Amino acid sequence: MYIPKAFVAASKGCHRNRSNPESTWDEKCINLRSFAYANKRLSCLIGDSIASRFVTRHDHVWRKYFSGWMNAGIGGDCCENLLHRIESGNVPRECKIAVIIIGSNNISRDFPEIVAEAIIKTAKAVTSATLSNPAIFVSGVLP
């Protein structure tokens, strides 16, 4: 799989911290990593602001259907940010189900083929980062 060097640049290069400017991207990653380590068996929703805002905008749905899940979304994340987070331990080690919502922040700057390859690489990284063989669901890129 070919991914251009510009795409694999430093993980913070693309990040725009719009969802919670009081908390830095690094702080969010550390908090998510600690939570994932302490809660090894949680299923997780992982991705960008669309994932992170699911809890706040659809709280009643989250509480009813996703109680006990980890929400590992960070606003502004691109595929390379999420890949870095997965490789750094932001996914529970015994995750049973992972739902990935990522790519919308890449669409304006990358060719669709590159974004698709990066999403596939991200999904494979979730499998590599866990001890179990999680069911992985990838959402289509949302506007």
Side-chain angles (χ1 to χ4, degrees), residues 53-89:
R53 292 181 185 153
F54 193 85
V55 174
T56 56
R57 292 197 177 169
H58 307 287
D59 183 54
H60 62 287
V61 175
W62 184 263
R63 282 185 279 122
K64 184 174 181 178
Y65 297 106
F66 297 97
S67 176
W69 279 53
M70 174 182 174
N71 186 317
I74 294 182
D77 264 7
C78 294
C79 294
E80 60 270 27
N81 301 116
L82 182 56
L83 184 59
H84 172 76
R85 291 196 294 121
I86 292 167
E87 292 171 347
S88 298

Side-chain angles (χ1 to χ4, degrees), residues 35-44 68 70 89-98 126-135:
F35 191 81
Y37 182 76
N39 300 281
K40 296 176 183 165
R41 294 195 171 148
L42 290 179
S43 292
C44 69
M70 174 182 174
N90 279 195
V91 176
R93 296 288 289 161
E94 297 176 30
C95 180
K96 301 292 181 210
I97 302 169
V126 170
T127 303
S128 298
T130 59
L131 299 174
S132 58
N133 188 15

Side-chain angles (χ1 to χ4, degrees), residues 106-121:
N106 292 84
I107 287 295
S108 64
R109 66 185 181 106
D110 294 319
F111 291 110
E113 297 83 10
I114 293 173
V115 177
E117 287 179 23
I119 292 170
I120 292 167
K121 187 173 182 178

